[in-house]
Amino acid sequence: MNDKMNYEYPIGNDGCVTFRALTSTDSIEAITVLLNKSYKFLLDMGLNYVAATQDKSVTLNRIEKAYKCFVGIYRGEIISTISLYNYSPSSHSKWYNETHVAKVGQFAVLSEFQKFGIGNKMMEIVEHEAKAIENISELALDTAETAYHLIHYYEKRGYRYIETIKWNETNYKSVIMSKCLTTIQEV
């Protein structure tokens, strides 16, 4: 996918979601609200994910650090987002310090649009994009060690456990999961 290409994804009889790279005209406030709403369920579980309460300055900072950020648009509204990060050293994770590892973050789909395959399509797009980053052969992510539904979701997508870490900003331990990019199919 290049920055000018859009992916159309039908959802039932109600139309299509358009997946594309974030543009300068997209609302950071809308993405922040999306992240806050999508992560509220996890906050209600007692898991203090940054995305559950972050403000738009944190959202913007995280987007600016991304290699690419993607959004899903439905009827003119941003309903999903995901960010792809190139290799970046970490003081907490040995795996994230590996120069061949890219990372996924700020992944969210509004709850009313979950169960339509939108998250899977966004993961396919970001996995495909990660394959195009020079010297990157793994795509990793992290989630709370007690978010079993998320761990199971990523395992079904071919991600494997790497390590357990503790971020300063959270009240839980995280599991790092990773997927070899040579196993990724074209989208």
Side-chain angles (χ1 to χ4, degrees):
M1 174 177 169
N2 61 46
D3 290 343
K4 303 212 184 315
M5 183 183 290
N6 293 340
Y7 286 93
E8 298 292 327
Y9 182 74
I11 55 169
N13 296 325
D14 290 334
C16 290
V17 176
T18 300
F19 299 107
R20 61 167 170 76
L22 182 75
T23 68
S24 61
T25 60
D26 289 321
S27 168
I28 300 303
E29 181 66 33
I31 293 171
T32 303
V33 169
L34 161 68
L35 289 162
N36 293 165
K37 283 182 177 179
S38 297
Y39 282 79
K40 186 179 181 322
F41 171 75
L42 295 161
L43 186 64
D44 291 346
M45 289 175 55
L47 301 171
N48 186 30
Y49 280 76
V50 173
T53 58
Q54 72 189 38
D55 63 22
K56 67 181 184 178
S57 68
V58 174
T59 303
L60 180 60
N61 180 269
R62 294 173 94 183
I63 288 171
E64 287 174 340
K65 290 180 180 178
Y67 174 78
K68 287 188 180 177
C69 177
F70 300 94
V71 291
I73 309 292
Y74 180 71
R75 296 185 177 170
E77 300 295 324
I78 298 172
I79 62 153
S80 61
T81 188
I82 193 167
S83 292
L84 171 62
Y85 299 89
N86 200 344
Y87 158 75
S88 179
S90 169
S91 60
H92 292 80
S93 168
K94 290 179 184 177
W95 188 246
Y96 286 161
N97 282 326
E98 296 291 330
T99 59
H100 67 283
V101 177
K103 178 182 168 185
V104 172
Q106 293 205 124
F107 177 33
V109 178
L110 281 176
S111 61
E112 58 267 33
F113 291 95
Q114 293 176 7
K115 308 295 184 208
F116 287 102
I118 294 168
N120 281 329
K121 188 63 177 174
M122 292 201 83
M123 287 296 292
E124 287 174 14
I125 292 167
V126 85
E127 289 168 355
H128 175 73
E129 285 291 318
K131 286 177 73 170
I133 302 173
E134 188 174 346
N135 299 320
I136 297 297
S137 61
E138 288 276 344
L139 184 60
L141 52 84
D142 56 85
T143 194
E145 69 178 350
T146 57
Y148 304 115
H149 64 292
L150 294 175
I151 292 168
H152 180 69
Y153 170 77
Y154 295 122
E155 286 174 339
K156 283 176 41 179
R157 292 202 52 81
Y159 289 79
R160 68 195 183 285
Y161 170 83
I162 300 293
E163 65 182 335
T164 302
I165 63 167
K166 173 68 176 87
W167 299 110
N168 294 336
E169 302 85 4
T170 64
N171 65 344
Y172 55 82
K173 290 182 181 177
S174 291
V175 292
I176 305 292
M177 301 179 78
S178 194
K179 182 175 184 175
C180 180
L181 293 174
T182 59
T183 64
I184 309 279
Q185 301 295 318
E186 293 300 314
V187 289

